[in-house]
């Protein structure tokens, strides 16, 4: 059952592609048929006995039975537990409305900051950037963000963003940047020190020593999306040599 | 859907960068983004890429009755569409402030500057004139829609060809492109719009602002100019006070930019014309760059080989020898006329006889006999293509071969 999916690992799939699992007409008495289980990740959907592809991208597999389609989409769909960069759009009563790039604005309670109490309100202005985590992300409900973890610590979350630049990249690049031992980040580290905040919603925030360097970092990250490792290395080398 | 708000950090950073004479994409203050002009397969279809901003213009024409005030002038009609494809903030079917502003500016740029000879669009004075309609669709919005729109519109108008018309008495005949070559519009000059954005109450000036720069700018100055350095329209918005020197400086920059862009448009038009003449593939599909995501590519190329040999042998076995196509023994020779190619009589001869043809199939068919005259052709043909039947309903059609 898994074999037809396994054959296609690394192949480019398009929405509408169907994986049909061939059912044997006769049940052999000697072999004990075992039900195989697979887990469909993003981009794969079960439709009756088939598995249908609903995103375009590359099929990925994780041991033992996890399959998903690695797409390059730019539209973000909130997922519970993901950390995103949001922009505060309005302050209304005791919640902030935050734009996360999804179809709907998320709400962020003012109590969901580290050390915030009813008296001690956090200093958050409209237009500020927040790094927050999704507490509730349902398709039928307004998503809710928090800036603390379960123990009440900020743990890196909260308001940030003075002096840096926010820009948007595809969700695929963000996932690559967040992968452990990522080469892009390693190459960038060698170039010059910079601060980077990566939101799962495709937003990146970067800050380096000067405006010029920040712009270079931003443009390098944006352009490394469609480059091979070799191309990227040569580009980074050129930047390091200072002849761009 | 609402637009993504601009965060404070972006605003501060942009303003700081502009003070340091830096721009987001590494351009200089007076630099344009890359302009790419491509034409579609049809006449009057033009795509313009200005960086990531992308605009499509399509020109079409229609015969209408003219306005009573101007009975012998053609009508120009401009229509802009801001589709949600360009930006999620745009809504379909609603005329936003931006849309009205762009539409008005385009009209002022192209209609009021009289760059197109509207009198040549007159067919019958007071009765029939050509209405030239320019539809501009925004495909992607990354700032400076106006410049991209004006370039697309004028390039599409210069590329467009309207069908030829003939007037016999009261009858107006519109010829298809096969009958008569379509005619290009007569364009006197090419007005092109150049946008300048001002920051910090006019202290800093940028040419061709991108979307985020447009959001933080204080004021906008749009100058439409042609390459003869004639200003066709000028408009300032945003409510900032501009000095005389600033406007003069902008017009000087505009004249340089306009001549560059005009050269680009003429070159693109020439290339397209050449490609069409040589019968090469033209149209925007040919000129699209293939944007491939190569970063995640693996270099091994897998070819599906499962039961390939079996499939190949199956094809060889099951295939038949190609049947010989029975060629018609009648060979059309130069100077010989022939009616139809066997299926249908395309010459429009005696329709009423067709019914008779179907009825009697036993050799009594009336056949069209052709006697072709040979002039200046001394070759004697042994088997002339003259079929003479002994039917009573015989008709003789004499075809005079064309001298050419």
């Amino acid at each position: 059952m898994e074999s037809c999916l396994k054959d296609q690992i690394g192949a480019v799939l398009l929405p509408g592609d169907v994986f049909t699992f061939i059912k044997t007409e006769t049940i052999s008495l000697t072999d004990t048929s075992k039900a195989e289980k697979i887990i469909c990740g993003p981009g794969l959907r079960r439709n009756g006995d088939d598995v249908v592809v609903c995103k375009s991208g590359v099929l990925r597999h994780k041991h033992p039975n996890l399959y998903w389609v690695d797409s390059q989409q730019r539209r973000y769909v909130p997922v519970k537990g993901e950390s995103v960069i949001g922009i505060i759009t309005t302050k209304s009563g005791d919640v902030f409305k935050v734009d996360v790039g999804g179809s709907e604005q998320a709400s962020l309670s003012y109590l969901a900051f580290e050390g915030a109490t009813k008296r001690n309100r956090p200093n958050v202005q409209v237009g500020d950037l927040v790094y927050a985590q999704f507490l509730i992300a349902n398709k039928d409900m307004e998503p809710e963000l928090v800036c603390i973890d379960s123990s009440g610590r900020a743990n890196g979350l909260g308001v940030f963003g003075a002096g840096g630049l926010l820009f948007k990249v595809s969700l695929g690049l963000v996932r690559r940047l967040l992968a452990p031992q990522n080469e892009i980040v390693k190459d960038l580290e060698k170039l010059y020190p910079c601060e980077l905040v990566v939101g799962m919603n495709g937003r990146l925030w970067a800050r380096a020593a000067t405006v010029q360097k920040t712009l270079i970092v931003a443009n390098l990250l944006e352009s490394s999306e469609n480059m091979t490792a070799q191309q990227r290395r040569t580009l980074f080398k050129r930047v390091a040599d200072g002849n761009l | 859907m609402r637009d993504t708000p601009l965060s404070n950090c972006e605003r501060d950073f942009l303003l700081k960068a502009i003070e340091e004479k830096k721009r987001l994409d590494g351009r200089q203050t007076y630099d344009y983004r890359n302009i790419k002009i491509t034409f579609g397969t049809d006449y009057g279809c033009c795509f313009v890429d200005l960086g990531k901003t992308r605009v499509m213009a399509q020109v079409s024409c229609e015969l209408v009755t003219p306005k009573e005030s101007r009975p012998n002038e053609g009508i120009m009609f401009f229509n802009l569409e801001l589709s949600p494809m360009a930006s999620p903030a745009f809504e379909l079917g609603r005329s936003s402030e931006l849309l009205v502003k762009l539409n008005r500016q385009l009209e002022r740029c192209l209609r009021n500057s009289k760059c197109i000879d509207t009198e040549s669009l007159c067919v019958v004075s007071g009765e029939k004139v050509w209405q030239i309609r320019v539809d501009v669709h925004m495909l992607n919005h990354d700032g400076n829609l106006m410049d991209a729109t004006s370039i697309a519109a004028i390039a599409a108008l210069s590329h467009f060809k309207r069908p030829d018309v003939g007037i016999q008495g009261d009858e107006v005949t519109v010829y298809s492109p096969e009958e008569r070559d379509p005619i290009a519009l007569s364009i006197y000059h090419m007005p092109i719009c150049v946008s300048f954005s001002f920051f910090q109450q006019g202290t800093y000036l940028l040419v061709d602002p991108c979307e985020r720069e447009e959001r933080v700018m204080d004021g906008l100055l749009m100058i439409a100019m042609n390459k003869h350095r004639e200003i066709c329209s000028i408009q300032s918005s945003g409510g900032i006070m501009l000095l005389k020197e600033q406007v003069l400086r902008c017009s000087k920059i505009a004249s340089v930019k306009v001549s560059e862009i005009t050269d680009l448009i003429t070159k693109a038009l020439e290339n397209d014309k050449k490609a069409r003449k040589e019968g090469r593939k033209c149209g925007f599909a040919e000129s699209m760059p293939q944007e491939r995501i190569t970063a995640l590519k693996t270099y091994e190329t897998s070819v599906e080989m499962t039961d390939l040999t079996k499939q190949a042998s199956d094809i060889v076995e099951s295939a038949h020898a190609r049947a010989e196509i029975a060629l018609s023994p009648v060979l059309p020779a130069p100077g010989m006329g022939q009616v139809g190619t066997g299926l249908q009589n395309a010459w429009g001869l005696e329709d009423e006889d067709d019914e008779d043809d179907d009825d009697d199939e036993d050799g009594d068919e009336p056949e069209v006999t052709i006697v072709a005259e040979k002039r200046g052709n001394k070759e004697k043909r042994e088997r002339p293509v003259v079929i003479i039947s002994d039917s009573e309903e015989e008709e003789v059609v004499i075809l005079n071969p064309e001298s050419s």
Side-chain angles (χ1 to χ4, degrees):
Chain A
M1 176 180 175
E2 245 186 285
S3 59
C4 72
L5 271 166
K6 220 162 214 161
D7 289 343
Q8 294 281 316
I9 289 170
V12 175
L13 301 175
L14 294 174
D17 284 355
V18 182
F19 289 107
T20 330
F21 301 109
I22 307 136
K23 278 170 281 185
T24 41
E25 291 287 314
T26 51
I27 303 164
S28 83
L29 293 167
T30 47
D31 290 351
T32 47
S33 61
K34 244 196 324 193
E36 285 176 287
K37 259 191 196 167
I38 60 157
I39 297 167
C40 295
L44 293 173
R45 200 168 55 193
R46 191 183 141 191
N47 182 18
D49 289 340
D50 303 337
V51 168
V52 193
V53 180
C54 53
K55 272 181 194 170
S56 54
V58 182
L59 186 71
R60 301 275 175 205
H61 168 58
K62 194 180 178 194
H63 198 73
N65 55 3
L66 222 64
Y67 291 92
W68 74 95
V69 178
D70 205 0
S71 65
Q72 298 284 318
Q73 72 182 52
R74 298 178 81 89
R75 168 68 57 205
Y76 180 66
V77 181
V79 176
K80 189 184 167 183
E82 284 188 349
S83 308
V84 293
I85 297 176
I87 305 167
I88 308 279
T89 53
T90 45
K91 284 202 267 190
S92 59
D94 51 359
V95 288
F96 302 112
K97 285 274 175 278
V98 186
D99 179 277
V100 288
S103 61
E104 206 182 350
Q105 295 206 324
S107 69
L108 171 64
S109 165
Y110 76 92
L111 289 172
F113 287 88
E114 191 187 42
T117 56
K118 284 234 168 198
R119 282 222 185 134
N120 183 17
R121 288 193 172 219
N123 180 23
V124 182
Q125 303 302 322
V126 170
D128 276 355
L129 295 181
V130 284
Y131 193 58
Q133 214 172 16
F134 274 109
L135 186 71
I136 296 171
N138 277 339
K139 61 177 177 183
D140 304 317
M141 279 169 69
E142 185 183 49
E144 197 181 323
L145 292 164
V146 284
C147 285
I148 42 171
D149 61 6
S150 52
S151 59
R153 295 263 148 217
N155 211 356
L157 304 170
V159 181
F160 72 102
L165 175 64
L166 181 80
F167 54 100
K168 259 201 92 148
V169 294
S170 82
L171 301 187
L173 180 64
V174 160
R175 281 195 294 270
R176 276 162 65 204
L177 287 174
L178 287 173
Q181 306 296 316
N182 181 263
E183 285 187 356
I184 303 176
V185 178
K186 274 188 180 168
D187 288 349
L188 203 63
E189 276 171 357
K190 283 178 210 151
L191 213 60
Y192 35 68
C194 65
E195 248 181 299
L196 204 63
V197 178
V198 186
M200 281 297 279
N201 55 349
R203 286 193 184 140
L204 289 180
W205 177 92
R207 182 170 67 186
T210 60
V211 169
Q212 173 79 351
K213 282 183 176 173
T214 312
L215 282 172
I216 290 174
V217 169
N219 284 329
L220 280 177
L221 283 171
E222 263 179 21
S223 56
S224 61
E225 168 130 40
N226 297 335
M227 277 195 283
T228 57
Q230 188 57 48
Q231 286 170 324
R232 193 180 60 235
R233 254 173 242 131
T234 42
L235 180 73
F236 275 57
K237 200 163 180 296
R238 269 171 61 200
V239 175
D241 296 344
N243 51 2
L244 198 65
Chain B
M1 216 184 110
R2 52 194 295 164
D3 207 2
T4 319
L6 191 77
S7 65
N8 294 344
C9 103
E10 278 172 282
R11 184 188 306 275
D12 297 343
F13 186 87
L14 275 167
L15 292 174
K16 206 170 133 199
I18 289 162
E19 273 176 41
E20 292 183 22
K21 304 246 181 257
K22 301 265 166 30
R23 293 179 78 168
L24 284 182
D25 35 14
R27 279 184 286 161
Q28 297 295 310
T29 350
Y30 300 147
D31 281 359
Y32 253 90
R33 287 171 283 180
N34 281 340
I35 304 175
K36 208 179 99 195
I37 301 166
T38 47
F39 295 101
T41 34
D42 277 352
Y43 283 123
C45 180
C46 176
F47 287 77
V48 169
D49 287 76
L50 182 61
K52 280 181 194 156
T53 298
R54 195 162 159 71
V55 162
M56 189 200 88
Q58 173 72 58
V59 182
S60 50
C61 63
E62 197 184 350
L63 275 176
V64 289
T65 46
K67 286 174 188 162
E68 283 185 15
S69 55
R70 286 158 195 264
N72 49 7
E73 278 187 23
I75 300 169
M76 301 290 302
F77 182 76
F78 297 96
N79 179 42
L80 262 74
E81 301 269 341
L82 298 176
S83 78
M85 183 164 61
S87 160
F90 296 156
E91 276 177 57
L92 209 71
R94 199 193 293 176
S95 67
S96 62
E97 202 184 323
L98 176 72
L99 180 67
V100 174
K101 190 178 139 192
L102 289 174
N103 209 335
R104 186 77 199 101
Q105 176 66 15
L106 187 67
E107 282 184 5
R108 273 153 46 108
C109 176
L110 293 180
R111 187 197 286 151
N112 299 8
S113 69
K114 302 224 186 312
C115 64
I116 288 155
D117 181 16
T118 45
E119 282 181 10
S120 71
L121 298 172
C122 178
V123 180
V124 181
S125 177
E127 281 174 34
K128 282 271 175 288
V129 294
W130 284 110
Q131 186 192 47
I132 305 292
R133 184 190 164 101
V134 185
D135 285 282
V136 185
H137 293 261
M138 312 294 156
L139 303 180
N140 194 26
H141 173 37
D142 191 35
N144 206 1
L145 285 175
M146 191 57 235
D147 292 13
T149 305
S150 80
I151 296 170
I154 194 69
L157 280 168
S158 331
H159 188 244
F160 181 66
K161 288 188 176 173
R162 66 171 170 86
D164 196 5
V165 284
I167 307 161
Q168 277 109 23
D170 289 346
E171 269 186 33
V172 176
T173 340
V174 179
Y175 293 105
S176 67
E178 288 81 32
E179 287 170 310
R180 280 197 195 178
D181 283 343
I183 302 167
L185 303 176
S186 61
I187 290 169
Y188 295 135
H189 57 95
M190 286 186 181
I192 286 155
C193 207
V194 179
S195 301
F196 300 88
S197 54
F198 292 93
F199 300 86
Q200 312 273 345
Q201 296 305 313
T203 326
Y204 300 102
L205 177 149
L206 292 183
V207 176
D208 182 26
C210 73
E211 199 245 346
R212 284 202 273 185
E213 284 163 349
E214 272 186 353
R215 282 193 190 205
V216 294
M217 72 187 172
D218 289 331
L220 184 70
L221 183 72
M222 290 190 278
I223 299 179
M225 200 187 254
N226 60 22
K227 70 169 178 192
H228 314 298
R229 296 165 65 98
E230 294 165 336
I231 291 177
C232 299
S233 92
I234 185 160
Q235 188 184 354
S236 157
S237 58
I240 52 156
M241 310 292 266
L242 290 175
L243 299 169
K244 192 177 134 197
E245 289 82 55
Q246 279 177 312
V247 179
L248 280 174
R249 194 155 65 109
C250 286
S251 64
K252 264 183 202 140
I253 299 164
S255 72
V256 176
K257 295 292 165 201
V258 162
S259 64
E260 281 173 16
I261 296 169
T262 314
D263 287 349
L264 198 72
I265 295 176
T266 41
K267 207 193 258 174
L269 282 166
E270 265 170 32
N271 285 347
D272 185 72
K273 203 174 164 188
K274 212 189 278 170
R276 269 166 211 272
K277 210 172 171 185
E278 289 172 8
R280 269 190 283 143
K281 280 181 182 173
C282 52
F284 80 95
E286 297 304 320
S287 44
M288 276 305 147
Q290 288 183 319
E291 282 175 8
R292 290 217 178 98
I293 299 164
T294 52
L296 300 170
K297 198 182 159 204
T298 48
Y299 274 103
E300 56 183 312
T301 314
S302 56
V303 182
E304 204 177 312
M305 297 281 281
T306 44
D307 54 68
L308 196 72
T309 43
K310 191 172 171 289
Q311 202 183 353
S313 60
D314 276 3
I315 290 167
V316 171
E317 275 170 31
S318 61
H320 299 284
R322 203 154 141 251
E324 289 255 329
I325 299 161
L327 291 161
S328 157
V330 185
L331 292 168
M336 302 296 285
Q338 194 191 356
V339 177
T341 48
L343 282 171
Q344 257 188 335
N345 191 336
W347 286 48
L349 289 165
E350 64 284 328
D351 284 348
E352 65 272 19
D353 281 6
D354 285 355
E355 288 164 16
D356 297 353
D357 283 350
D358 299 332
D359 295 336
D360 39 21
E361 292 173 357
D362 38 6
D364 209 78
E365 294 164 75
E367 293 199 57
V368 182
T369 312
I370 308 141
V371 177
E373 285 182 2
K374 285 193 275 183
R375 277 186 202 148
N377 194 351
K378 286 172 190 167
E379 256 186 287
K380 287 223 169 172
R381 209 159 278 99
E382 289 180 351
R383 187 166 45 78
V385 200
V386 177
I387 309 150
I388 300 164
S389 77
D390 45 4
S391 153
E392 296 102 67
E393 298 174 356
E394 187 178 288
E395 280 193 30
V396 177
V397 181
I398 298 171
L399 297 173
N400 291 325
E402 284 176 21
S403 52
S404 61

